[in-house]
Amino acid sequence: MRVAPTITLSADDRQELERWARGRSTQARRVLRARIVLAAADGKDNQTIAAELQTDRLLVGKWRKRFAQQGLAGIEKDAPGRGRKPVVRDSLVRKIVETTTQEKPANATHWSTRSLADLLGTTQSMIHRVWKANNLKPHLVRTFKLSNDPLFVEKVVDVVGLYLNPPEHALVLCADEKSQIQALDRTQPGLPLKKGRCGTMTHDYKRNGTTTLFAAIELAAGKLIGTCMPRHRHQEWLKFLQLIDAQTPADLDLHLIVDNYHTHKHVKVKRWLAKHPRFHVHFIPTSSSWLNLIERWFREITDKRIRREAFGSVDKLIAVITDYIEKHNANPQTFTWTAKAEAILEKVRRARAVLNKMASI
């Protein structure tokens, strides 16, 4: 007759086993193994333990021996390589991934767990687990567009060069206009934020006019130059250039990063720039607003100050924008560009190769 191994527990082992045995957020099989070992440590034989835990005596002996040989690690997980390989399940997983990525439902643009489960004859939870394991998210889509600018490479290298290696005795400014900002007033007062409930606002609104924000951020210090005007023609752009000229040190060159909006290239704008040689304009490629860091600041003011506010008039909207700029300049913070031109161009090349491959199919 075999003698069951004696179980002696350290204080740390006993504490961990007792935690497992309580069953909170612990697999049921590990709970049973922990209770077997704790009972064995109290000097009970396998037959008694099996009766108390309503399990099999051989199972008690197995986990008692495993713990005696390997400690906690021996009972925490099953031994590898046991059981039949899940051939059917693996086949279903491949089918789920292939269908999700290569096919579309007949009456929708993307799969849901319910529609794909109905098609493949499985459960929604199975679909969800496979999607999660393979990081598949059919309900999400990202927008993108590759620039077709013939000078894309040259412009990216130029602008990124200014970000990473700004010239001496000069300021680099990212400038643009945020046009048609609407002064929207809600039709009813919203409810305030409180414990257990988010703030509310009506889905509909009243339009009270628009304004255009002209802004330029100086990248070294983060100072912002901004003003609001009713329109966004070349006349307003010239006024903004004059404002930049007045609010920057006269002895420094100014490198302006702007987009390809036609007002920036108007003949009168070019004439003014020719008379002010300290201004050097650098155009980003078409369809590449992500390359202009002022767009990042526009997102800040939109998220933090405009989107959730109610404006009864354009004057109130302008006052809020002006106040935000003043508070920004009281403690200016800039944005740091880190991506190198080579990495950007390589990513664009990969994306274009994929698009060309899809077009040829």
Side-chain angles (χ1 to χ4, degrees), residues 109-120:
T109 59
H110 58 279
W111 294 104
S112 67
T113 55
R114 184 185 299 274
S115 61
L116 190 55
D118 289 343
L119 177 72
L120 300 181

Side-chain angles (χ1 to χ4, degrees), residues 167-173 218-220 248-249 252-256:
E168 296 181 354
H169 309 296
L171 297 178
V172 177
L173 299 103
E218 192 272 295
L219 294 184
T248 52
L252 296 178
D253 282 355
L254 303 178
H255 291 265
L256 261 65

Side-chain angles (χ1 to χ4, degrees), residues 106-340:
N107 61 341
T109 59
H110 58 279
W111 294 104
S112 67
T113 55
R114 184 185 299 274
S115 61
L116 190 55
D118 289 343
L119 177 72
L120 300 181
T122 185
T123 62
Q124 289 180 249
S125 59
M126 179 64 178
I127 302 295
H128 175 73
R129 287 196 299 271
V130 173
W131 281 358
K132 184 176 181 180
N134 291 274
N135 198 26
L136 294 173
K137 302 175 182 179
H139 63 291
L140 297 181
V141 64
R142 290 181 179 177
T143 58
F144 87 105
K145 182 178 180 180
L146 289 179
S147 173
N148 292 318
D149 195 318
L151 298 177
F152 178 81
V153 174
E154 292 83 350
K155 291 179 179 179
V156 168
V157 171
D158 177 39
V159 173
V160 174
L162 287 174
Y163 288 152
L164 299 181
N165 298 292
E168 296 181 354
H169 309 296
L171 297 178
V172 177
L173 299 103
C174 295
D176 200 2
E177 56 270 294
K178 184 174 177 62
S179 61
Q180 300 295 306
I181 306 175
Q182 299 189 74
L184 301 178
D185 195 7
R186 302 294 158 177
T187 57
Q188 295 176 0
L191 297 177
L193 172 70
K194 64 178 294 185
K195 185 177 181 180
R197 187 193 70 198
C198 64
T200 67
M201 60 192 303
T202 60
H203 67 278
D204 56 346
Y205 46 80
K206 177 185 176 183
R207 294 186 175 94
N208 293 309
T210 64
T211 189
T212 294
L213 169 60
F214 291 79
I217 187 168
E218 192 272 295
L219 294 184
K223 178 185 176 183
L224 193 116
I225 301 170
T227 185
C228 290
M229 302 187 202
R231 303 177 69 179
H232 52 102
R233 306 165 300 170
H234 74 274
Q235 293 94 327
E236 285 75 26
W237 181 248
L238 278 172
K239 292 179 182 179
F240 183 54
L241 290 177
Q242 292 166 5
L243 180 65
I244 294 175
D245 192 30
Q247 293 192 11
T248 52
D251 59 331
L252 296 178
D253 282 355
L254 303 178
H255 291 265
L256 261 65
I257 298 172
V258 300
D259 63 20
N260 289 270
Y261 191 42
H262 66 90
T263 58
H264 302 162
K265 299 180 178 181
H266 194 277
V267 62
K268 292 185 178 180
V269 173
K270 293 180 179 179
R271 193 178 303 153
W272 187 91
L273 290 171
K275 295 178 180 179
H276 296 78
R278 79 185 188 113
F279 279 78
H280 307 274
V281 179
H282 304 260
F283 293 101
I284 63 174
T286 57
S287 305
S288 303
S289 59
W290 48 267
L291 195 55
N292 193 339
L293 281 176
I294 191 62
E295 300 293 342
R296 180 64 179 82
W297 186 85
F298 282 155
R299 191 182 81 179
E300 288 278 307
I301 189 173
T302 301
D303 289 345
K304 295 181 178 180
R305 205 65 186 89
I306 296 177
R307 180 171 288 126
R308 296 191 184 184
E309 188 63 88
F311 302 101
S313 66
V314 173
D315 289 340
K316 181 181 178 182
L317 171 61
I318 294 175
V320 166
I321 293 173
T322 302
D323 178 70
Y324 187 85
I325 292 174
E326 291 174 353
K327 285 183 169 58
H328 172 90
N329 286 334
N331 182 27
Q333 293 182 340
T334 189
F335 301 104
T336 303
W337 188 274
T338 58
K340 296 182 179 179

Side-chain angles (χ1 to χ4, degrees), residues 82-101:
R82 301 301 298 271
R84 187 180 63 179
K85 302 300 180 184
V87 178
V88 175
R89 184 181 182 279
D90 288 350
S91 176
L92 178 58
V93 168
R94 287 195 296 271
K95 186 62 176 177
I96 291 173
V97 173
E98 290 173 0
T99 306
T100 304
T101 57

